[in-house]
Amino acid sequence: MCRHLGYLGPPRDLATLLLAPPHSLLRQSYAPVDMRGGGTINADGFGAGWYPDGAITPIRYRRAVPLWTDATFAALATEVRSGAVLAAVRSATVGMPIVDTACAPFGTGRWLFSHNGRIAGWPDSVATLARRLPVTDLLTLDAPTDSALLWALVRSRLAAGETLGCAVGTVAAQVLGCAPSSRLNLLITDGVTLAATTVHHALAVRVGDGAVLVCSEPTDDSSDWEPVADRHLLTATSSAVDVVPIPADMAHADPTVTEEP
Ligand code: GLN
């Protein structure tokens, strides 16, 4: 399974956030420690999205190569600074394509999104949910993967005016209803707030000094990291974090969706 990271706070360079820490996302790409049975390393690609100073719309860099092989990214990471970053390293689920566009972050407009996990029973288990999306959304998925479909489901809720937390919490709950053994750690930001779910996968959070850092695994040995319990919804700004169980009623937020056991 993949590993992902979200940061909100004072502008930092990408190398400091993603490459330099002792258990950085870079290290988690080849030596993760808490994969919970979901794969071994995260070598099928990576991506980073960041908001330039004052910008509402982020920039994305995605490649289907191991993070440790991309010297161009390492060089630009020392120069790019941002106060809002979402990044991920990928371990492709068996059968899913290894292409740039299957790497997180997915995004449209001001949003960046990542999924750590897999949809059990893909694709049949979520056909009913997918059918509710406009056909053009399905025809223009970034890639034929579970993560790209999850992004389309989340995006349609955001476009309808839902908050980040409501959108990812509802999609996680609905997919869990259709495919109960799925792993659904979702992560999203709009550059000002972020939201994340935990479903059968690891996540930790560190908050302090006007910054919040959320990552699949702690990036250093600081005692400030708090694990996020399973089946929880985290919402955060750069100065505050809220963690609650994923509300059960989120699965029923759309009464026209038929959920299978
Ligand atoms: N299942 C997704 C994919 O293959 C997510 C990756 C992961 O968490 N392993 O792209």
Side-chain angles (χ1 to χ4, degrees):
M1 300 296 143
C2 315
R3 306 281 80 178
H4 56 204
L5 176 151
Y7 172 79
L8 296 174
R12 310 278 297 274
D13 66 77
L14 298 186
T16 299
L17 285 171
L18 308 177
L19 309 179
H23 196 62
S24 63
L25 204 62
L26 170 61
R27 187 168 179 85
Q28 291 176 43
S29 70
Y30 59 83
V33 296
D34 190 9
M35 296 283 273
R36 305 193 180 180
T40 309
I41 60 170
N42 300 290
D44 296 322
F46 73 95
W50 64 91
Y51 298 76
D53 193 24
I56 296 171
T57 307
I59 292 171
R60 288 185 293 156
Y61 183 105
R62 300 188 291 172
R63 289 200 66 208
V65 299
L67 175 53
W68 67 84
T69 67
D70 191 333
T72 302
F73 180 74
L76 81 82
T78 62
E79 301 300 324
V80 171
R81 290 169 63 80
S82 177
V85 175
L86 191 152
V89 291
R90 180 174 183 232
S91 168
T93 296
V94 173
M96 295 195 182
I98 297 175
V99 292
D100 293 357
T101 54
C103 298
F106 301 92
T108 304
R110 60 200 171 100
W111 299 302
L112 294 172
F113 172 83
S114 170
H115 164 227
N116 168 203
R118 59 186 283 270
I119 293 179
W122 169 265
D124 298 342
S125 58
V126 285
T128 303
L129 270 179
R131 199 175 294 133
R132 294 196 47 74
L133 288 171
V135 172
T136 47
D137 285 12
L138 297 172
L139 292 174
T140 56
L141 288 179
D142 267 17
T145 67
D146 51 1
S147 302
L149 176 71
L150 287 165
W151 166 232
L153 291 167
V154 169
R155 186 183 55 198
S156 73
R157 292 192 163 275
L158 296 171
E162 289 191 5
T163 62
L164 304 188
C166 188
V168 293
T170 300
V171 168
Q174 290 187 326
V175 172
L176 210 47
C178 304
S181 56
S182 297
R183 295 174 182 244
L184 299 167
N185 279 30
L186 310 182
L187 175 62
I188 187 164
T189 184
D190 59 8
V192 179
T193 61
L194 66 78
T197 61
T198 53
V199 178
H200 294 155
H201 244 313
L203 191 72
V205 60
R206 190 180 75 188
V207 61
D209 299 327
V212 63
L213 187 58
V214 178
C215 194
S216 302
E217 300 177 9
T219 57
D220 59 33
D221 293 329
S222 155
S223 57
D224 296 336
W225 287 97
E226 294 282 346
V228 181
D230 196 37
R231 300 205 184 204
H232 277 63
L233 171 63
L234 176 150
T235 50
T237 64
S238 59
S239 57
V241 174
D242 186 48
V243 180
V244 297
I246 295 175
D249 59 352
M250 278 186 165
H252 307 291
D254 185 343
T256 60
V257 172
T258 306
E259 276 144 13
E260 296 150 13

